[in-house]
Amino acid sequence: MPFIITDPCIETKDTACVDVCPVDCIHPRKDEPEFAQVTMLYIHPEECIDCGACVPACPAAAIYESIDATPANQQDLVEANAIYRNSEPETIARAEEIVRAHVEAQAALMAIPAAERQAAHASH
């Protein structure tokens, strides 16, 4: 699985990564109906071409280049990215359930502002 969006994106949903993605694999975009209802953005693993353009574009530093690079306390979000499919209510609901569980399980980490959360991953 290619790039993973993690919890600094939760409630941030900055779409700078969407704007630079050459294959539109990051969902939902602002013009998609799901944008208002989801907690964070997701990378579709089969659509992603591993170009890495999204990583430097993300102002919250929420994107990791692989499962192995994703911190242990963010590994549950790997599954959320893997199952999310735009326009599929069941997969959206399952992905969002994983995100809600992550927020509850990582309460101390989630209390840190999103812009500072990636740096805090190493200490939690």
Side-chain angles (χ1 to χ4, degrees):
M1 186 164 159
F3 294 77
I4 310 295
I5 296 180
T6 61
D7 71 29
C9 188
I10 293 174
E11 300 300 343
T12 304
K13 294 192 297 189
D14 187 297
T15 58
C17 58
V18 174
D19 297 338
V20 299
C21 180
V23 295
D24 294 326
C25 71
I26 303 171
H27 299 282
R29 295 184 305 269
K30 285 182 180 178
D31 63 345
E32 295 172 331
E34 295 83 3
F35 186 81
Q37 78 183 61
V38 300
T39 311
M40 61 180 266
L41 303 177
Y42 300 89
I43 295 178
H44 189 295
E46 287 97 36
E47 293 174 355
C48 181
I49 59 170
D50 293 331
C51 72
C54 57
V55 176
C58 179
I63 305 173
Y64 289 89
E65 69 274 357
S66 69
I67 292 171
D68 293 338
T70 304
N73 64 354
Q74 302 293 302
Q75 286 291 320
D76 51 346
L77 297 176
V78 170
E79 179 67 12
N81 281 266
I83 63 173
Y84 182 93
R85 297 295 180 270
N86 227 34
S87 302
E88 293 183 14
E90 300 85 28
T91 66
I92 293 170
R94 286 182 27 226
E96 287 289 296
E97 184 178 311
I98 292 168
V99 171
R100 281 190 298 280
H102 174 83
V103 168
E104 290 174 16
Q106 300 287 340
L109 185 62
M110 296 307 296
I112 298 169
E116 300 166 22
R117 208 174 296 143
Q118 189 205 39
H121 287 171
S123 63
H124 281 83

